[in-house]
Amino acid sequence: MRHAPIRVMAVCGTRPDAIKMAPVVRTLREDPAFSVRLVATGQHREMLDQVLRLFALTPDEDLNIMTPHQTLTEITLRTLEGLDRVMRAHPVDVVLAQGDTTTTFVAALCAFYHKTPFGHVEAGLRTYDLYHPFPEEMNRRLTAPIARFHFAPTERARQNLIQEYIPPEHIWVTGNTGIDAVLWVAQQPVMPRNPELQRALSHTGRVILLTTHRRENWGEPMRAIARAARKLLEQLDDLVLLAPMHRNPLVREALQSVLGNHPRALLTEPLDYDEFVHAMRKATLILTDSGGVQEEAPAFGKPILVLRHTTERSEGVEAGTAKLVGTETEVIYTESLRLLTDPEAYQQMAQAVNPYGDGKASQRIAQILKQAFG
Ligand code: UD1
Ligand code: UDP
């Protein structure tokens, strides 16, 4: 029987890293069996801080690596050097990180260099297209052979890993910790602070919520997405578009150049997570290329059109609440208009389903680690 606490290093760098690791860190910190060191790479600055603040988490170390227009190589190098420094100073029993960001892949690599077991939260998602999403498909594939603990959100993810010869006894289907986060936040009282969100919330007509940030969509595809949104606003007078813009200047330029002067296009700073959850609940329809939003929207019974050509989250598509529409203006416009004008088509997609988790993924992860190290 082990007496010393299990030393965990939890790593996050981007907004979704923080959202999906926050419930894990909070759960482990409540349990005296663990001692948790939270390391932020700062791959995102403002968007990471927004989430950590909401979950009342202060990193023990912050590598603060972000620069404007950072390249993948820069993120990789700065993160690896920084994490290596931290791991030399503070050896741990296990390193944890989530998903497919460069922060996560590098955390796995650094754990490997230190011969420390790595636990992959949200393991096993695949599109089987190396460049979609880029670089995320490669990040998660490179992480898999390093990981000792694969916390798969769904049975499909588990099967993907088994096909890659990951030993089945190293895989657990836990659900997605992002569902733990969204259900927790949905229970908290929220006072909307963002003025554009306030305007959308008080709007009596319909609201489209739009987010886009994927690297594959930078440039012309993102402008095509914005043109579809503009066409919808011009077609339907009661419609308001709420678009919390990712901090990336390339995203802002694309959205502002097409939608900036439309009176019913509410372009705003990224919303705090609790406010964004409020916005999802208010929305009639969600247009997004986000991974996390694809997992959350079905929980609220919101139809979601996915602005991508492939998805690793096919469970929502199969459940009928999500549809892949790509990035062509006409296709996005036509599919959105159909949902906004055909109540039967809308009702078919507005089913509340939760294929990605039940809110208890973090508890399962804690149990699995206790058994493994106990
Ligand atoms: C990153 C992840 C992606 C994830 C996304 C979530 C990688 C390679 N990509 O993509 O998997 O889906 O986060 O949002 O890990 N910026 C700021 N402030 C912020 C955040 C970003 O100014 O708080 C700007 C900076 O100019 C930065 C740029 O956005 O250089 C891009 O950030 P980066 O982390 O490189 O890529 P993302 O597109 O955000
Ligand atoms: N989100 C947020 N504020 C916003 C937009 C999104 O808090 O203005 C949340 C959203 O609820 C989801 C997560 O950010 O949990 C998704 O992050 P993002 O789309 O940046 O990354 P991805 O999931 O595509 O990796």
Side-chain angles (χ1 to χ4, degrees), residues 170-365:
H170 293 180
I171 312 171
W172 293 264
V173 178
T174 57
N176 198 310
T177 59
I179 302 298
D180 302 10
V182 81
L183 295 181
W184 181 79
V185 165
Q187 284 168 0
Q188 311 300 313
V190 53
M191 285 297 293
R193 303 150 312 262
N194 176 287
E196 280 80 16
L197 173 63
Q198 286 172 347
R199 216 183 122 190
L201 291 175
S202 60
H203 179 62
T204 49
R206 291 172 292 184
V207 174
I208 288 187
L209 178 63
L210 167 69
T211 80
T212 173
H213 71 80
R214 296 241 85 81
R215 256 160 221 266
E216 312 84 276
N217 288 346
W218 287 355
E220 178 46 30
M222 214 167 270
R223 281 193 291 277
I225 291 167
R227 282 199 295 277
R230 186 164 186 118
K231 251 182 113 166
L232 287 165
L233 288 171
E234 282 160 3
Q235 181 67 27
L236 301 172
D237 290 345
D238 75 311
L239 201 63
V240 149
L241 175 81
L242 178 64
M245 291 182 294
H246 190 289
R247 282 265 175 180
N248 189 329
L250 297 173
V251 174
R252 287 161 175 244
E253 186 278 320
L255 295 179
Q256 277 162 341
S257 66
V258 178
L259 290 160
N261 61 356
H262 196 289
R264 281 179 283 116
L266 308 175
L267 305 184
T268 172
E269 292 304 316
L271 295 173
D272 285 348
Y273 185 46
D274 56 338
E275 293 187 296
F276 188 77
V277 171
H278 225 54
M280 279 196 282
R281 289 173 134 174
K282 168 73 180 178
T284 315
L285 171 65
I286 300 176
L287 305 181
T288 193
D289 62 11
S290 161
V293 178
Q294 284 180 69
E295 292 154 353
E296 294 162 348
F300 300 116
K302 297 298 176 177
I304 174 161
L305 296 180
V306 181
L307 308 167
R308 296 171 49 178
H309 296 285
T310 57
T311 184
E312 55 295 282
R313 277 115 174 150
S314 47
E315 291 89 345
V317 178
E318 281 153 21
T321 64
K323 186 167 182 184
L324 279 180
V325 294
T327 56
E328 306 277 318
T329 302
E330 273 314 305
V331 179
I332 300 166
Y333 170 74
T334 310
E335 291 287 345
S336 305
L337 195 62
R338 194 170 71 86
L339 289 174
L340 293 169
T341 52
D342 176 350
E344 208 173 304
Y346 184 87
Q347 272 317 317
Q348 269 183 8
M349 282 190 84
Q351 311 289 337
V353 293
N354 220 333
Y356 299 106
D358 61 0
K360 296 185 180 142
S362 307
Q363 288 170 32
R364 292 190 186 100
I365 290 170

Side-chain angles (χ1 to χ4, degrees), residues 100-121:
D100 50 24
T101 65
T102 295
T103 283
T104 297
F105 158 58
V106 177
L109 185 62
C110 195
F112 176 69
Y113 288 163
H114 286 262
K115 297 197 174 144
T116 301
F118 180 77
H120 192 195
V121 177

Side-chain angles (χ1 to χ4, degrees), residues 72-139:
L72 295 174
T73 303
E74 287 164 348
I75 304 171
T76 305
L77 294 176
R78 288 198 204 107
T79 302
L80 189 56
E81 277 175 0
L83 289 181
D84 182 57
R85 255 194 325 272
V86 175
M87 288 197 73
R88 276 170 201 274
H90 305 281
V92 291
D93 299 308
V94 60
V95 176
L96 300 179
Q98 79 78 38
D100 50 24
T101 65
T102 295
T103 283
T104 297
F105 158 58
V106 177
L109 185 62
C110 195
F112 176 69
Y113 288 163
H114 286 262
K115 297 197 174 144
T116 301
F118 180 77
H120 192 195
V121 177
E122 195 189 74
L125 274 60
R126 299 288 183 271
T127 60
Y128 295 106
D129 178 341
L130 278 191
Y131 285 90
H132 291 90
F134 176 84
E136 291 83 5
E137 177 73 4
M138 186 53 92
N139 280 345

